[in-house]
Amino acid sequence: MRTLRILTAALVAACLVALPTAPAAAHNGKLKLTVAGDGAGGVTVRATHADGHRLDQPVRLVLTAEGEGDRKAGPLQLEPAAEGQGFYSSGPVLSPGRWQVTVTAPAPYQTSAKATVQARPAQSPPAPRPVAVQAGPDERDRSGVGWWTYAAGGLVAVALLAAVPLLLVRRRRPARPGEPAA
């Protein structure tokens, strides 16, 4: 009986150890790379497993690009971006124009993706314009204090003014004959 318990415990422990590795083994080492321009002179890449699951660790992705007029960029390693797991960004590496971009992942993934990217000059954001805000007659005070707050405060003040003299002045009743005066 004791041997059966030990064997059962060992089997359960082996299953618990092997369980976390099951999803990783299901990915078959293939990646899906989605390559796009960032709207200026850079490239962004979204990397997922071929089955659609997120990457659980960073992958070393390498970018190379060929542009019009025999221009070349790379090879350069892409850094993980702040957008989350599986997002990579090159930063501004392409000059304005049309580029054929290739992103590859080394072994064990051996995956590559190509895309045509139109790089544009980086634009600075427009200068902020001052905006005049005028409160309309129907807008409430944004502090959360409305007319009803002042009305309620006024009613409390009137009630206190009426109650204080009544509490301070004690009504004396006349002493009855034979009763000590209060």
Side-chain angles (χ1 to χ4, degrees):
M1 188 71 169
R2 182 173 183 200
T3 306
L4 181 62
R5 285 184 184 170
I6 292 173
L7 287 175
T8 304
L11 181 63
V12 167
C15 288
L16 290 176
V17 169
L19 185 64
T21 62
H27 297 304
N28 297 327
K30 297 184 186 232
L31 292 180
K32 177 183 175 187
L33 302 175
T34 306
V35 181
D38 68 356
V43 176
T44 59
V45 179
R46 181 168 187 240
T48 58
H49 288 285
D51 60 4
H53 287 102
R54 294 184 321 160
L55 294 177
D56 52 353
Q57 60 184 340
V59 175
R60 185 175 167 252
L61 298 177
V62 177
L63 175 136
T64 56
E66 295 181 12
E68 301 165 334
D70 293 328
R71 295 180 294 168
K72 294 187 189 268
L76 48 104
Q77 183 171 337
L78 296 177
E79 297 297 323
E83 283 80 15
Q85 285 181 313
F87 288 94
Y88 295 83
S89 176
S90 69
V93 296
L94 305 176
S95 57
R98 187 180 227 61
W99 291 84
Q100 274 297 95
V101 177
T102 304
V103 177
T104 58
Y109 301 107
Q110 295 296 326
T111 303
S112 68
K114 294 183 179 189
T116 302
V117 173
Q118 181 68 38
R120 294 179 175 84
Q123 296 180 359
S124 59
R129 295 185 316 179
V131 178
V133 177
Q134 295 179 354
D138 60 334
E139 288 190 32
R140 294 184 341 166
D141 181 15
R142 297 289 182 212
S143 66
V145 178
W147 65 268
W148 56 270
T149 306
Y150 296 114
L155 286 175
V156 169
V158 168
L160 284 176
L161 286 174
V164 167
L166 293 175
L167 293 174
L168 293 177
V169 176
R170 191 191 262 185
R171 187 172 190 192
R172 294 186 177 204
R173 62 182 177 158
R176 295 187 188 158
E179 232 179 50

